[in-house]
Amino acid sequence: MTDPFSGVSLSASARARLADGKKHLFTSDLSVNEFLLVRQAGFRPVGLVLGSSVYHVGIQTRRWGQNMELDKLSAAMYHARELAMTRMEAEADALGADGIVGVRLEIEFKDYGNNLAEFVAIGTAVVADHAPASGTWRNNKGLPFTSDLSGQDFWTLIQSGYAPLGLVMGTCVYHIAHRGTIAALSSLGANVEITQFTEALYDARELAMGRMQTEAETLAADGIVGVQLLSLPHRWGGHTTEFFAIGSVRSANCARITSSPLRASCFP
């Protein structure tokens, strides 16, 4: 299989930190309860892994009175997150991890440049005590699995005989049309649906959800759990917003065997 990280380069400081972690101790942002539950699920934390991308989000013209997706901005927001996720996965691969739990995706717009934002992906890399029935915890792309589930939810997923595959996402940056003066005055003081706004928000959410589901299909998943559908205005003003769908995909390819009253692991 082709190395999925052949084109990903880690900084010298990242390589030094990962090498030091292999020799001495692991780091993790899991809480004490989450750490213990991840261990009870049959996984050992080996290090905190992260990926970062400082990205210039471009400008796209929009029509004042028309609902429309801003596809250039949608592509930018997706690609920036994908870069951060890939670098996080490369760090996990360098640690020999089977997966990453407790993944967080964060965005921070910077003051030192217009339209500059840092996209960060961070989570705890883990190694399984035992291989699953399928032979590997990695997904069909050869990547460590990723999951944004809490330690408690991750333990429940493994306990129930499911294997995590990856974190999937879909995004849509959408311009919501302005209403004209006459239309605004016609509904003044009245209880009435603003269908123009309803259709815009519905369409934008559907686009984000559909793209998330398409990602899940490429991983041959049978379901997505823990789905969040967020509206993120960022710095675009009240009539332009990003709809972001994210969730963890799972597959029932793991036969559960309880090896102790507290541990449920998957064995071949």
Side-chain angles (χ1 to χ4, degrees):
M1 179 181 292
T2 305
D3 182 4
F5 303 109
S6 57
V8 181
S9 59
L10 299 177
S11 68
S13 56
R15 290 194 299 269
R17 174 176 57 84
L18 296 171
D20 191 59
K22 281 184 177 181
K23 297 176 183 176
H24 301 289
L25 49 82
F26 71 86
T27 54
S28 171
D29 61 349
L30 298 174
S31 69
V32 173
N33 287 339
E34 288 180 311
F35 165 73
L36 293 174
L37 285 169
V38 167
R39 284 299 295 129
Q40 290 172 9
F43 291 83
R44 176 171 51 86
V46 290
L48 193 66
V49 290
L50 60 93
S52 175
S53 171
V54 177
Y55 207 92
H56 178 264
V57 181
I59 299 173
Q60 185 173 356
T61 58
R62 60 211 73 183
R63 296 184 180 178
W64 191 86
Q66 179 179 333
N67 291 331
M68 59 184 295
E69 180 184 12
L70 305 179
D71 53 356
K72 182 178 179 180
L73 299 186
S74 293
M77 300 301 287
Y78 182 87
H79 186 229
R81 288 188 180 95
E82 189 68 15
L83 286 172
M85 286 281 291
T86 299
R87 289 163 184 161
M88 178 187 68
E89 291 165 344
E91 286 200 0
D93 183 70
L95 289 173
D98 294 304
I100 311 169
V101 298
V103 174
R104 305 193 312 274
L105 292 177
E106 301 174 350
I107 304 173
E108 181 183 352
F109 279 82
K110 300 299 184 181
D111 294 329
Y112 47 76
N114 291 332
N115 300 315
L116 281 181
E118 182 184 22
F119 294 76
V120 178
I122 187 168
T124 297
V126 295
V127 172
D129 294 335
H130 305 281
S134 61
T136 178
W137 286 101
R138 295 198 171 201
N139 58 38
N140 61 358
K141 296 181 179 180
L143 302 173
F145 71 79
T146 51
S147 172
D148 64 346
L149 297 177
S150 67
Q152 291 86 340
D153 287 342
F154 179 78
W155 179 86
T156 302
L157 189 75
I158 300 299
Q159 177 86 345
S160 301
Y162 289 95
L165 296 176
L167 194 63
V168 291
M169 58 187 175
T171 185
C172 173
V173 179
Y174 206 91
H175 172 67
I176 303 164
H178 293 75
R179 300 177 71 207
T181 304
I182 295 175
L185 290 174
S186 66
S187 60
L188 188 65
N191 292 330
V192 60
E193 181 182 18
I194 310 300
T195 56
Q196 183 181 22
F197 291 174
T198 300
E199 291 169 2
L201 299 179
Y202 192 97
D203 186 41
R205 289 188 179 98
E206 283 295 320
L207 287 169
M209 287 284 288
R211 289 162 186 166
M212 179 185 67
Q213 290 176 202
T214 298
E215 276 205 355
E217 290 170 0
T218 66
L219 291 173
D222 61 16
I224 311 174
V225 296
V227 172
Q228 299 178 64
L229 188 54
L230 308 173
S231 177
L232 307 171
H234 301 307
R235 292 187 174 182
W236 295 314
H239 278 262
T240 299
T241 187
E242 180 193 20
F243 289 88
F244 183 58
I246 187 169
S248 293
V249 295
R250 51 107 174 133
S251 174
N253 67 351
C254 159
R256 179 169 60 88
I257 295 179
T258 303
S259 56
S260 76
L262 293 178
R263 174 167 296 177
S265 301
C266 299
F267 297 82

